[in-house]
Structure formats: C-alpha cells, structure tokens
Amino acid sequence: MTTKWSVRMSESFMKQYPIVSDMPFQRARSWNYENGCILSAFEYMWLQTGDQRYLDYIQMNMDLFITSDGGIYTYRLEEYNVDQINQGKSLFLLFEQTGDDRYRKALELLVTQMKSHPRTTEGGLWHKKIYPYQMWLDGVYMTAPLLARYAHSFGASEWFDDVAHEIILMEKRARDPKTGLLYHGWDESREQRWADSISGCSPHFWGRGLGWYMMAIVDVLDYLPKDHRNRGLVIGLFYRLAEAIARVQDPETGLWYQVLDKGQEAGNYLEASGSSMFVYALAKGARKGYLSHASFRAASKGFQGLLVHCLEEDTDGSLHLNQICSVAGLGGNPYRDGSYAYYMSEPVRRDDPKGFAPFIMACLEMEEALVSDPHRR
C-alpha cells in the first residue's frame, strides 16, 4: 500500500462522517472545538495536496453554522467559553479562498469575545465563565493560534503580545520544577477542591492537556514575528518542555500514557490523542528548527507506536484510531476532582476527533520529514 497514511485516514473519516458535528457521541449538532480539530486537519490536507474535496468538506461543514449576516448558529458570546474559539480557525481559509465577508464577520465576532473575555489578575484567560480564575492547558490551544493568525492576517499586532503572554503565564503557573511537566489546570483563587492550596495547580499531568499546549506553541510560532520580544522565550519554553515530554515517553511502544508520569500504576493506559499531539508538535518543532533532532527521533518512535498499537483497519480498507480518551476536565457538575482515579474513569473511544485530527497532522509531519530527507529515521 503506497497511499500515504494522511490520505487514507482522511478518506476514511470523510466517508464515515460526512458531517463532523453529527458524529454519534455528540449530543446535538453544534459549533464546538471538536469540529474545529478535524477541519483544521483537513485544511492542512488541502494545503498539502490541493485536493478540492478537502476544501469543499471544510466549507460544507462550516456553512452549517455561518449565517447570512456573519453570525454563528448555536454560538453564544456571553458563555465566555474558550472552547468556542477553536472552530473559528477554518474561517481564515474560507475568507481567503472565497472573499465572502460572512467568514470575516464571524471571525470578528469570536475576536470580540476575546476582547471582553474574563481574565485572571495577571491577564490570563479564564477557561470558561463558569470556571472563574482558572486556566487550563487546553484553553491555550483553543485561542492562541487563532489570535496569532488574526494578528498576522489583519494587522492587529496587539494580539501577538497577548498570545505570547498566555503561553508564558500558563507555563509559569502550571509547571512542576521536578519533572518539567505542566499540570492540567491552575486556579488562581485556590477555591476549587482539585487545586493545591499553595500552588493552585491540579494534581496530575494529563497527556492530552500537555498535547494541546505543545500544539498551541508550535502553531503560534507560525505567525509570531521573528522580532517579537518574547519569541525567543516561547521557543525556549517549548524546547525544555519537549525534553520533559521525551523523558516520560514509554520506551517500549514509543507512546505516552493518559497520566504521563504514572505509567506503572494500575489502570493507566497508552493514549492515542496525547501521543498524536506530541508526535505532531515534536516533529514540526524539529522541522522548523525550534527543537533538536532528538525530538524528531522521539516523534518518529511515537508515530511507529501509533501505527502498531492504535491503528485499526476494517475489511473494506477504512482506517480507525483507537485508545482515545473521550474527555477530561476539572470541576463542573458532576464534579471532576482531578484525581488519578478520575482520569482513569473517563471512557475511551474510537475515531474521536480529538485524536483522529492530530493523528492526521502527525502523519503529514512525518511524511513531510521523509520527503525533505528520505534517509531521515
């Protein structure tokens, strides 16, 4: 089989799920970050292949939500939910390709939310209005790459400072100096039951949480100007986090665990979405020169682990990705206490966009590496 993994995975997904938001485990058709994950991956596919079907898939799925006046069906600004920003990443491509001002207006609506979004006393974005004074790793990916691209595309350079600050503040508040890893969340108020009374951090290092954060950094760097005063600091933080991630990579499979530093504890499992995100971020970071060749070797080993341990092929040739954590959060109702038992309790799914999309992106990065250097291993 000579067809690239990225193409085969994309074909399998489009065939099975013509409408992303109608996937069986989504409660109702809605504007949400999971749609955004797949559509972002398909934007990379379109850029790489030029295949019009990927652009058509993106536009069809986005036009289910973008109204004639540039509004967004099912989106409510007043929720102040950072997750709602992620699907907006596809609006740039659609505006660039069609010139349709609806897409520009929808982007402006999302940026309007960011202008008034509640923040910590140091200027960090609350994860949601319902989670006051909390920053989660996930949230950096939901907002920062879109804002960096907006700053680049529309000359709104003030957002570059904001995006760099968000990345740096999250690392400052969530980093564990012993392991170099970042805790899933941080509560400035120290009011949550999951928050340490001194540091405000949640108890554990969740794999996909770190994956979101690493993808955020490497995607933001596509747009953050080379002469921005904090660009070097952001790259430095990325470099030392990459080293910490490599230290907790499973030496046998090349994958990463659901709770990163608890590989030997009962119930822990090798998880596909975080592993795919690490492969993507490490490989792209190495290709761009931010990271060392050691990071590419870790990415390559992780990619092989995904192919061997998480990929499944049906009799009709369609491909699926297994071992994807369905979701993980902190607080809420019912209350999620951030304990090890909690992370083990969430269901595991097949083909969840939060794993499927970064796996496609990981495939593209590994394929790009082999094209640029066929002898690279």
Side-chain angles (χ1 to χ4, degrees):
M1 178 68 68
T2 57
T3 305
K4 294 178 179 179
W5 288 115
S6 60
V7 173
R8 293 188 64 198
M9 293 298 289
S10 300
E11 296 293 324
S12 296
F13 193 93
M14 288 193 297
K15 180 180 179 181
Q16 188 170 3
Y17 306 112
I19 298 176
V20 183
S21 55
D22 288 354
M23 293 187 77
F25 45 75
Q26 294 211 29
R27 291 186 294 274
R29 183 177 293 182
S30 66
W31 176 270
N32 66 68
Y33 74 101
E34 294 176 307
N35 302 341
C37 292
I38 283 292
L39 299 182
S40 291
F42 280 13
E43 178 174 348
Y44 289 129
M45 288 298 300
W46 180 76
L47 291 170
Q48 184 70 23
T49 66
D51 190 328
Q52 182 68 26
R53 292 176 307 136
Y54 296 126
L55 182 59
D56 292 344
Y57 185 88
I58 293 167
Q59 186 168 15
M60 180 271 293
N61 273 278
M62 289 292 283
D63 281 350
L64 294 172
F65 299 99
I66 307 304
T67 63
S68 59
D69 61 353
I72 303 173
Y73 174 66
T74 75
Y75 164 80
R76 290 200 309 117
L77 184 152
E78 292 78 13
E79 284 184 1
Y80 288 110
N81 177 351
V82 295
D83 288 343
Q84 297 301 305
I85 303 302
N86 189 55
Q87 187 171 345
K89 292 171 181 174
S90 294
L91 293 167
F92 294 99
L93 174 68
L94 295 177
F95 179 65
E96 291 163 3
Q97 292 300 309
T98 68
D100 190 333
D101 206 45
R102 293 183 304 134
Y103 302 125
R104 169 71 182 264
K105 289 178 179 178
L107 258 177
E108 297 292 350
L109 177 60
L110 297 176
V111 173
T112 297
Q113 176 189 324
M114 293 289 92
K115 290 177 179 178
S116 58
H117 197 93
R119 294 172 181 261
T120 69
T121 57
E122 297 171 295
L125 296 168
W126 290 11
H127 194 67
K128 298 180 184 181
K129 179 179 68 176
I130 62 173
Y131 298 138
Y133 291 97
Q134 298 171 42
M135 295 177 69
W136 299 6
L137 295 173
D138 330 15
V140 183
Y141 180 77
M142 302 303 155
T143 60
L146 180 141
L147 290 172
R149 187 169 179 179
Y150 180 83
H152 173 80
S153 299
F154 299 112
S157 60
E158 66 275 10
W159 286 109
F160 287 132
D161 291 344
D162 199 65
V163 163
H165 178 70
E166 185 80 0
I167 291 169
I168 293 165
L169 180 60
M170 188 78 247
E171 202 259 6
K172 174 183 177 181
R173 291 304 181 187
R175 185 175 185 268
D176 170 48
K178 293 181 180 179
T179 62
L181 300 171
L182 275 59
Y183 293 102
H184 184 179
W186 174 68
D187 174 16
E188 182 182 35
S189 70
R190 277 75 166 172
E191 293 178 358
Q192 290 298 311
R193 296 202 309 269
W194 54 257
D196 181 88
S197 60
I198 297 174
S199 70
C201 292
S202 57
H204 290 290
F205 309 115
W206 178 42
R208 187 160 74 226
L210 266 293
W212 290 125
Y213 182 77
M214 289 191 73
M215 290 203 305
I217 294 177
V218 80
D219 287 354
V220 160
L221 288 170
D222 286 342
Y223 303 103
L224 192 65
K226 287 187 171 21
D227 61 352
H228 189 276
R229 67 180 184 275
N230 281 325
R231 182 178 171 89
L233 178 54
V234 169
I235 292 175
L237 301 182
F238 185 40
Y239 187 92
R240 73 171 178 176
L241 181 55
E243 291 187 317
I245 290 299
R247 287 194 292 269
V248 291
Q249 184 176 25
D250 178 55
E252 182 178 345
T253 65
L255 300 176
W256 284 268
Y257 281 92
Q258 164 78 337
V259 175
L260 289 171
D261 64 334
K262 304 288 184 183
Q264 304 308 312
E265 292 205 14
N268 209 355
Y269 61 96
L270 297 164
E271 199 275 328
S273 66
S275 295
S276 297
M277 291 174 179
F278 293 143
V279 170
Y280 167 72
L282 293 171
K284 182 176 179 180
R287 176 172 63 85
K288 293 278 191 172
Y290 314 137
L291 305 179
S292 68
H293 185 67
S295 289
F296 179 79
R297 290 196 301 269
S300 182
K301 186 173 183 178
F303 185 62
Q304 291 304 312
L306 287 163
L307 295 179
V308 171
H309 298 283
C310 301
L311 201 63
E312 181 180 3
E313 182 173 0
D314 286 347
T315 54
D316 65 357
S318 62
L319 296 174
H320 304 275
L321 193 69
N322 295 317
Q323 295 171 226
I324 304 171
C325 171
S326 61
V327 70
L330 297 163
N333 185 24
Y335 196 82
R336 298 166 294 184
D337 63 3
S339 66
Y340 179 81
Y342 161 69
Y343 287 107
M344 295 307 110
S345 72
E346 289 289 5
V348 177
R349 290 180 178 151
R350 179 169 93 155
D351 291 349
D352 188 297
K354 300 183 290 294
F356 208 103
F359 180 72
I360 291 174
M361 292 155 60
C363 291
L364 285 168
E365 279 300 327
M366 298 307 298
E367 290 159 5
E368 173 67 21
L370 293 176
V371 167
S372 60
D373 183 358
H375 303 291
R376 195 172 192 177
R377 292 292 181 265

